[in-house]
mmCIF file of all heavy atoms in Angstrom:
data_model
loop_
_atom_site.group_PDB
_atom_site.id
_atom_site.type_symbol
_atom_site.label_atom_id
_atom_site.label_comp_id
_atom_site.label_asym_id
_atom_site.label_seq_id
_atom_site.Cartn_x
_atom_site.Cartn_y
_atom_site.Cartn_z
ATOM 1 N N SER A 1087 0.840 -1.190 0.000
ATOM 2 C CA SER A 1087 0.000 0.000 0.000
ATOM 3 C C SER A 1087 0.875 1.240 0.000
ATOM 4 O O SER A 1087 2.051 1.203 0.369
ATOM 5 C CB SER A 1087 -0.934 0.012 1.213
ATOM 6 O OG SER A 1087 -0.196 0.067 2.420
ATOM 7 N N GLY A 1088 0.282 2.348 -0.389
ATOM 8 C CA GLY A 1088 1.018 3.585 -0.485
ATOM 9 C C GLY A 1088 1.438 3.865 -1.913
ATOM 10 O O GLY A 1088 1.247 3.053 -2.815
ATOM 11 N N SER A 1089 2.014 5.000 -2.098
ATOM 12 C CA SER A 1089 2.398 5.455 -3.427
ATOM 13 C C SER A 1089 3.795 4.951 -3.763
ATOM 14 O O SER A 1089 4.771 5.301 -3.103
ATOM 15 C CB SER A 1089 2.357 6.977 -3.491
ATOM 16 O OG SER A 1089 2.721 7.440 -4.775
ATOM 17 N N ILE A 1090 3.859 4.128 -4.782
ATOM 18 C CA ILE A 1090 5.123 3.607 -5.290
ATOM 19 C C ILE A 1090 5.343 4.201 -6.672
ATOM 20 O O ILE A 1090 4.645 3.849 -7.628
ATOM 21 C CB ILE A 1090 5.127 2.076 -5.353
ATOM 22 C CG1 ILE A 1090 4.840 1.476 -3.984
ATOM 23 C CG2 ILE A 1090 6.459 1.587 -5.905
ATOM 24 C CD1 ILE A 1090 5.915 1.751 -2.962
ATOM 25 N N PHE A 1091 6.301 5.066 -6.767
ATOM 26 C CA PHE A 1091 6.589 5.667 -8.055
ATOM 27 C C PHE A 1091 7.369 4.737 -8.963
ATOM 28 O O PHE A 1091 7.159 4.723 -10.174
ATOM 29 C CB PHE A 1091 7.346 6.983 -7.863
ATOM 30 C CG PHE A 1091 6.568 8.064 -7.179
ATOM 31 C CD1 PHE A 1091 7.215 9.146 -6.600
ATOM 32 C CD2 PHE A 1091 5.183 8.020 -7.128
ATOM 33 C CE1 PHE A 1091 6.506 10.148 -5.977
ATOM 34 C CE2 PHE A 1091 4.453 9.019 -6.505
ATOM 35 C CZ PHE A 1091 5.127 10.095 -5.931
ATOM 36 N N SER A 1092 8.268 3.975 -8.389
ATOM 37 C CA SER A 1092 9.074 3.057 -9.165
ATOM 38 C C SER A 1092 9.529 1.904 -8.270
ATOM 39 O O SER A 1092 10.402 2.081 -7.426
ATOM 40 C CB SER A 1092 10.284 3.763 -9.771
ATOM 41 O OG SER A 1092 11.059 2.877 -10.547
ATOM 42 N N MET A 1093 8.933 0.743 -8.472
ATOM 43 C CA MET A 1093 9.329 -0.445 -7.731
ATOM 44 C C MET A 1093 10.498 -1.097 -8.442
ATOM 45 O O MET A 1093 10.396 -1.450 -9.621
ATOM 46 C CB MET A 1093 8.161 -1.418 -7.611
ATOM 47 C CG MET A 1093 8.468 -2.647 -6.767
ATOM 48 S SD MET A 1093 8.613 -2.259 -5.006
ATOM 49 C CE MET A 1093 6.880 -2.023 -4.588
ATOM 50 N N ASN A 1094 11.585 -1.276 -7.731
ATOM 51 C CA ASN A 1094 12.768 -1.879 -8.321
ATOM 52 C C ASN A 1094 12.786 -3.395 -8.180
ATOM 53 O O ASN A 1094 13.157 -4.103 -9.112
ATOM 54 C CB ASN A 1094 14.037 -1.293 -7.705
ATOM 55 C CG ASN A 1094 14.237 0.153 -8.067
ATOM 56 O OD1 ASN A 1094 13.763 0.616 -9.108
ATOM 57 N ND2 ASN A 1094 14.946 0.877 -7.213
ATOM 58 N N ALA A 1095 12.411 -3.877 -6.999
ATOM 59 C CA ALA A 1095 12.445 -5.310 -6.760
ATOM 60 C C ALA A 1095 11.627 -5.636 -5.526
ATOM 61 O O ALA A 1095 11.474 -4.810 -4.622
ATOM 62 C CB ALA A 1095 13.876 -5.805 -6.583
ATOM 63 N N MET A 1096 11.114 -6.847 -5.503
ATOM 64 C CA MET A 1096 10.475 -7.368 -4.308
ATOM 65 C C MET A 1096 10.995 -8.773 -4.064
ATOM 66 O O MET A 1096 11.348 -9.481 -5.010
ATOM 67 C CB MET A 1096 8.958 -7.373 -4.425
ATOM 68 C CG MET A 1096 8.365 -5.982 -4.550
ATOM 69 S SD MET A 1096 6.568 -5.952 -4.293
ATOM 70 C CE MET A 1096 6.486 -6.334 -2.533
ATOM 71 N N GLY A 1097 11.027 -9.139 -2.819
ATOM 72 C CA GLY A 1097 11.543 -10.449 -2.487
ATOM 73 C C GLY A 1097 10.966 -10.987 -1.203
ATOM 74 O O GLY A 1097 10.332 -10.264 -0.420
ATOM 75 N N TRP A 1098 11.166 -12.262 -1.036
ATOM 76 C CA TRP A 1098 10.822 -12.948 0.190
ATOM 77 C C TRP A 1098 12.096 -13.437 0.864
ATOM 78 O O TRP A 1098 12.957 -14.033 0.211
ATOM 79 C CB TRP A 1098 9.896 -14.138 -0.076
ATOM 80 C CG TRP A 1098 8.509 -13.751 -0.459
ATOM 81 C CD1 TRP A 1098 8.002 -13.608 -1.706
ATOM 82 C CD2 TRP A 1098 7.435 -13.455 0.448
ATOM 83 N NE1 TRP A 1098 6.681 -13.252 -1.653
ATOM 84 C CE2 TRP A 1098 6.309 -13.145 -0.348
ATOM 85 C CE3 TRP A 1098 7.324 -13.425 1.830
ATOM 86 C CZ2 TRP A 1098 5.078 -12.809 0.214
ATOM 87 C CZ3 TRP A 1098 6.105 -13.086 2.390
ATOM 88 C CH2 TRP A 1098 4.999 -12.785 1.586
ATOM 89 N N TYR A 1099 12.198 -13.163 2.140
ATOM 90 C CA TYR A 1099 13.291 -13.618 2.969
ATOM 91 C C TYR A 1099 12.721 -14.455 4.104
ATOM 92 O O TYR A 1099 11.533 -14.376 4.413
ATOM 93 C CB TYR A 1099 14.069 -12.438 3.551
ATOM 94 C CG TYR A 1099 14.837 -11.626 2.535
ATOM 95 C CD1 TYR A 1099 14.190 -10.824 1.610
ATOM 96 C CD2 TYR A 1099 16.235 -11.650 2.517
ATOM 97 C CE1 TYR A 1099 14.887 -10.075 0.685
ATOM 98 C CE2 TYR A 1099 16.953 -10.899 1.604
ATOM 99 C CZ TYR A 1099 16.267 -10.111 0.694
ATOM 100 O OH TYR A 1099 16.976 -9.366 -0.214
ATOM 101 N N ARG A 1100 13.575 -15.242 4.718
ATOM 102 C CA ARG A 1100 13.128 -15.996 5.876
ATOM 103 C C ARG A 1100 14.223 -16.030 6.925
ATOM 104 O O ARG A 1100 15.406 -15.910 6.621
ATOM 105 C CB ARG A 1100 12.705 -17.419 5.493
ATOM 106 C CG ARG A 1100 13.835 -18.318 5.010
ATOM 107 C CD ARG A 1100 13.270 -19.644 4.516
ATOM 108 N NE ARG A 1100 14.312 -20.558 4.074
ATOM 109 C CZ ARG A 1100 14.074 -21.706 3.472
ATOM 110 N NH1 ARG A 1100 12.825 -22.098 3.232
ATOM 111 N NH2 ARG A 1100 15.086 -22.488 3.104
ATOM 112 N N GLN A 1101 13.789 -16.201 8.150
ATOM 113 C CA GLN A 1101 14.711 -16.264 9.267
ATOM 114 C C GLN A 1101 14.231 -17.322 10.247
ATOM 115 O O GLN A 1101 13.140 -17.211 10.809
ATOM 116 C CB GLN A 1101 14.823 -14.908 9.962
ATOM 117 C CG GLN A 1101 15.891 -14.858 11.033
ATOM 118 C CD GLN A 1101 16.171 -13.446 11.496
ATOM 119 O OE1 GLN A 1101 15.380 -12.538 11.278
ATOM 120 N NE2 GLN A 1101 17.322 -13.252 12.129
ATOM 121 N N ALA A 1102 15.038 -18.342 10.417
ATOM 122 C CA ALA A 1102 14.772 -19.386 11.387
ATOM 123 C C ALA A 1102 15.514 -19.062 12.679
ATOM 124 O O ALA A 1102 16.503 -18.321 12.675
ATOM 125 C CB ALA A 1102 15.209 -20.742 10.845
ATOM 126 N N PRO A 1103 15.055 -19.610 13.800
ATOM 127 C CA PRO A 1103 15.730 -19.335 15.071
ATOM 128 C C PRO A 1103 17.217 -19.652 15.007
ATOM 129 O O PRO A 1103 17.619 -20.724 14.558
ATOM 130 C CB PRO A 1103 15.006 -20.253 16.050
ATOM 131 C CG PRO A 1103 13.646 -20.423 15.462
ATOM 132 C CD PRO A 1103 13.860 -20.446 13.977
ATOM 133 N N GLY A 1104 18.025 -18.705 15.439
ATOM 134 C CA GLY A 1104 19.458 -18.880 15.452
ATOM 135 C C GLY A 1104 20.149 -18.631 14.130
ATOM 136 O O GLY A 1104 21.380 -18.725 14.062
ATOM 137 N N ASN A 1105 19.390 -18.328 13.087
ATOM 138 C CA ASN A 1105 19.964 -18.129 11.765
ATOM 139 C C ASN A 1105 19.863 -16.684 11.319
ATOM 140 O O ASN A 1105 19.070 -15.897 11.840
ATOM 141 C CB ASN A 1105 19.275 -19.026 10.739
ATOM 142 C CG ASN A 1105 19.556 -20.496 10.948
ATOM 143 O OD1 ASN A 1105 20.525 -20.868 11.606
ATOM 144 N ND2 ASN A 1105 18.713 -21.346 10.380
ATOM 145 N N GLN A 1106 20.655 -16.351 10.327
ATOM 146 C CA GLN A 1106 20.557 -15.059 9.672
ATOM 147 C C GLN A 1106 19.341 -15.032 8.757
ATOM 148 O O GLN A 1106 18.868 -16.077 8.301
ATOM 149 C CB GLN A 1106 21.815 -14.777 8.854
ATOM 150 C CG GLN A 1106 23.097 -14.681 9.655
ATOM 151 C CD GLN A 1106 23.263 -13.339 10.283
ATOM 152 O OE1 GLN A 1106 22.735 -13.084 11.371
ATOM 153 N NE2 GLN A 1106 23.985 -12.451 9.617
ATOM 154 N N ARG A 1107 18.855 -13.839 8.492
ATOM 155 C CA ARG A 1107 17.800 -13.697 7.515
ATOM 156 C C ARG A 1107 18.383 -13.947 6.123
ATOM 157 O O ARG A 1107 19.403 -13.365 5.754
ATOM 158 C CB ARG A 1107 17.183 -12.306 7.603
ATOM 159 C CG ARG A 1107 15.929 -12.131 6.771
ATOM 160 C CD ARG A 1107 15.252 -10.805 7.055
ATOM 161 N NE ARG A 1107 14.811 -10.712 8.446
ATOM 162 C CZ ARG A 1107 14.113 -9.700 8.946
ATOM 163 N NH1 ARG A 1107 13.755 -8.686 8.160
ATOM 164 N NH2 ARG A 1107 13.772 -9.699 10.224
ATOM 165 N N GLU A 1108 17.739 -14.813 5.367
ATOM 166 C CA GLU A 1108 18.258 -15.206 4.072
ATOM 167 C C GLU A 1108 17.234 -14.976 2.974
ATOM 168 O O GLU A 1108 16.024 -15.064 3.190
ATOM 169 C CB GLU A 1108 18.678 -16.683 4.075
ATOM 170 C CG GLU A 1108 17.525 -17.651 4.284
ATOM 171 C CD GLU A 1108 17.929 -19.110 4.179
ATOM 172 O OE1 GLU A 1108 19.066 -19.387 3.750
ATOM 173 O OE2 GLU A 1108 17.104 -19.980 4.524
ATOM 174 N N LEU A 1109 17.747 -14.695 1.793
ATOM 175 C CA LEU A 1109 16.896 -14.521 0.628
ATOM 176 C C LEU A 1109 16.311 -15.861 0.206
ATOM 177 O O LEU A 1109 17.030 -16.847 0.070
ATOM 178 C CB LEU A 1109 17.690 -13.915 -0.524
ATOM 179 C CG LEU A 1109 16.943 -13.790 -1.853
ATOM 180 C CD1 LEU A 1109 15.834 -12.752 -1.753
ATOM 181 C CD2 LEU A 1109 17.903 -13.425 -2.984
ATOM 182 N N VAL A 1110 15.012 -15.872 -0.018
ATOM 183 C CA VAL A 1110 14.323 -17.048 -0.521
ATOM 184 C C VAL A 1110 14.053 -16.914 -2.013
ATOM 185 O O VAL A 1110 14.360 -17.808 -2.801
ATOM 186 C CB VAL A 1110 13.004 -17.290 0.238
ATOM 187 C CG1 VAL A 1110 12.246 -18.473 -0.354
ATOM 188 C CG2 VAL A 1110 13.272 -17.508 1.717
ATOM 189 N N ALA A 1111 13.465 -15.806 -2.399
ATOM 190 C CA ALA A 1111 13.123 -15.561 -3.795
ATOM 191 C C ALA A 1111 12.978 -14.071 -4.007
ATOM 192 O O ALA A 1111 12.592 -13.341 -3.100
ATOM 193 C CB ALA A 1111 11.826 -16.280 -4.183
ATOM 194 N N ALA A 1112 13.280 -13.628 -5.217
ATOM 195 C CA ALA A 1112 13.160 -12.218 -5.542
ATOM 196 C C ALA A 1112 12.719 -12.059 -6.983
ATOM 197 O O ALA A 1112 13.010 -12.904 -7.838
ATOM 198 C CB ALA A 1112 14.480 -11.485 -5.315
ATOM 199 N N ILE A 1113 12.021 -10.969 -7.235
ATOM 200 C CA ILE A 1113 11.610 -10.618 -8.587
ATOM 201 C C ILE A 1113 11.966 -9.164 -8.811
ATOM 202 O O ILE A 1113 11.696 -8.307 -7.963
ATOM 203 C CB ILE A 1113 10.109 -10.903 -8.818
ATOM 204 C CG1 ILE A 1113 9.718 -10.595 -10.265
ATOM 205 C CG2 ILE A 1113 9.238 -10.140 -7.828
ATOM 206 C CD1 ILE A 1113 8.354 -11.158 -10.653
ATOM 207 N N THR A 1114 12.587 -8.882 -9.936
ATOM 208 C CA THR A 1114 13.062 -7.544 -10.225
ATOM 209 C C THR A 1114 12.124 -6.825 -11.177
ATOM 210 O O THR A 1114 11.159 -7.399 -11.691
ATOM 211 C CB THR A 1114 14.480 -7.580 -10.811
ATOM 212 O OG1 THR A 1114 14.485 -8.392 -11.989
ATOM 213 C CG2 THR A 1114 15.454 -8.160 -9.798
ATOM 214 N N ARG A 1115 12.434 -5.565 -11.417
ATOM 215 C CA ARG A 1115 11.569 -4.703 -12.208
ATOM 216 C C ARG A 1115 11.297 -5.264 -13.602
ATOM 217 O O ARG A 1115 10.183 -5.125 -14.127
ATOM 218 C CB ARG A 1115 12.203 -3.320 -12.307
ATOM 219 C CG ARG A 1115 11.377 -2.285 -13.026
ATOM 220 C CD ARG A 1115 12.098 -0.958 -13.003
ATOM 221 N NE ARG A 1115 11.338 0.100 -13.649
ATOM 222 C CZ ARG A 1115 11.719 1.365 -13.712
ATOM 223 N NH1 ARG A 1115 12.874 1.742 -13.156
ATOM 224 N NH2 ARG A 1115 10.950 2.257 -14.322
ATOM 225 N N ASP A 1116 12.298 -5.876 -14.190
ATOM 226 C CA ASP A 1116 12.137 -6.416 -15.536
ATOM 227 C C ASP A 1116 11.511 -7.804 -15.559
ATOM 228 O O ASP A 1116 11.387 -8.403 -16.623
ATOM 229 C CB ASP A 1116 13.482 -6.433 -16.268
ATOM 230 C CG ASP A 1116 14.494 -7.357 -15.627
ATOM 231 O OD1 ASP A 1116 14.186 -7.964 -14.586
ATOM 232 O OD2 ASP A 1116 15.608 -7.469 -16.168
ATOM 233 N N GLY A 1117 11.125 -8.304 -14.395
ATOM 234 C CA GLY A 1117 10.463 -9.590 -14.319
ATOM 235 C C GLY A 1117 11.367 -10.776 -14.081
ATOM 236 O O GLY A 1117 10.877 -11.906 -13.991
ATOM 237 N N SER A 1118 12.646 -10.554 -14.001
ATOM 238 C CA SER A 1118 13.548 -11.661 -13.732
ATOM 239 C C SER A 1118 13.389 -12.132 -12.290
ATOM 240 O O SER A 1118 13.090 -11.344 -11.390
ATOM 241 C CB SER A 1118 14.997 -11.266 -14.014
ATOM 242 O OG SER A 1118 15.415 -10.244 -13.129
ATOM 243 N N VAL A 1119 13.586 -13.405 -12.075
ATOM 244 C CA VAL A 1119 13.415 -13.992 -10.759
ATOM 245 C C VAL A 1119 14.655 -14.792 -10.401
ATOM 246 O O VAL A 1119 15.388 -15.264 -11.272
ATOM 247 C CB VAL A 1119 12.168 -14.898 -10.686
ATOM 248 C CG1 VAL A 1119 10.903 -14.093 -10.950
ATOM 249 C CG2 VAL A 1119 12.271 -16.041 -11.687
ATOM 250 N N ASN A 1120 14.881 -14.914 -9.117
ATOM 251 C CA ASN A 1120 15.930 -15.793 -8.653
ATOM 252 C C ASN A 1120 15.511 -16.407 -7.334
ATOM 253 O O ASN A 1120 14.723 -15.835 -6.589
ATOM 254 C CB ASN A 1120 17.287 -15.077 -8.543
ATOM 255 C CG ASN A 1120 17.282 -13.945 -7.545
ATOM 256 O OD1 ASN A 1120 17.481 -14.164 -6.348
ATOM 257 N ND2 ASN A 1120 17.060 -12.728 -8.029
ATOM 258 N N TYR A 1121 16.062 -17.585 -7.065
ATOM 259 C CA TYR A 1121 15.679 -18.366 -5.899
ATOM 260 C C TYR A 1121 16.908 -18.879 -5.178
ATOM 261 O O TYR A 1121 17.950 -19.133 -5.787
ATOM 262 C CB TYR A 1121 14.828 -19.566 -6.308
ATOM 263 C CG TYR A 1121 13.531 -19.221 -6.988
ATOM 264 C CD1 TYR A 1121 13.446 -19.150 -8.373
ATOM 265 C CD2 TYR A 1121 12.384 -18.978 -6.245
ATOM 266 C CE1 TYR A 1121 12.253 -18.834 -8.998
ATOM 267 C CE2 TYR A 1121 11.185 -18.661 -6.866
ATOM 268 C CZ TYR A 1121 11.124 -18.590 -8.239
ATOM 269 O OH TYR A 1121 9.932 -18.282 -8.854
ATOM 270 N N ALA A 1122 16.753 -19.052 -3.891
ATOM 271 C CA ALA A 1122 17.762 -19.774 -3.146
ATOM 272 C C ALA A 1122 17.813 -21.220 -3.635
ATOM 273 O O ALA A 1122 16.790 -21.796 -4.009
ATOM 274 C CB ALA A 1122 17.454 -19.734 -1.652
ATOM 275 N N ASP A 1123 19.001 -21.785 -3.637
ATOM 276 C CA ASP A 1123 19.146 -23.161 -4.098
ATOM 277 C C ASP A 1123 18.250 -24.118 -3.327
ATOM 278 O O ASP A 1123 17.738 -25.093 -3.885
ATOM 279 C CB ASP A 1123 20.601 -23.611 -3.981
ATOM 280 C CG ASP A 1123 21.499 -22.958 -5.009
ATOM 281 O OD1 ASP A 1123 20.988 -22.446 -6.022
ATOM 282 O OD2 ASP A 1123 22.725 -22.966 -4.804
#
């Protein structure tokens, strides 16, 4: 929500107890996606 003039990327991260927050999946402005192995 709110005014987004230009979205560059969105992603999902996760954090399990005792772990660092890690990238799970992301999608960029041009539609490209990447995933954690």
Side-chain angles (χ1 to χ4, degrees):
S1087 63
S1089 180
I1090 303 294
F1091 295 161
S1092 181
M1093 184 71 75
N1094 292 334
M1096 296 194 69
W1098 288 94
Y1099 292 70
R1100 67 186 182 188
Q1101 187 168 18
N1105 292 340
Q1106 297 279 85
R1107 189 172 298 185
E1108 65 176 350
L1109 175 68
V1110 176
I1113 183 166
T1114 57
R1115 184 178 182 177
D1116 64 358
S1118 64
V1119 298
N1120 62 85
Y1121 299 93
D1123 288 341

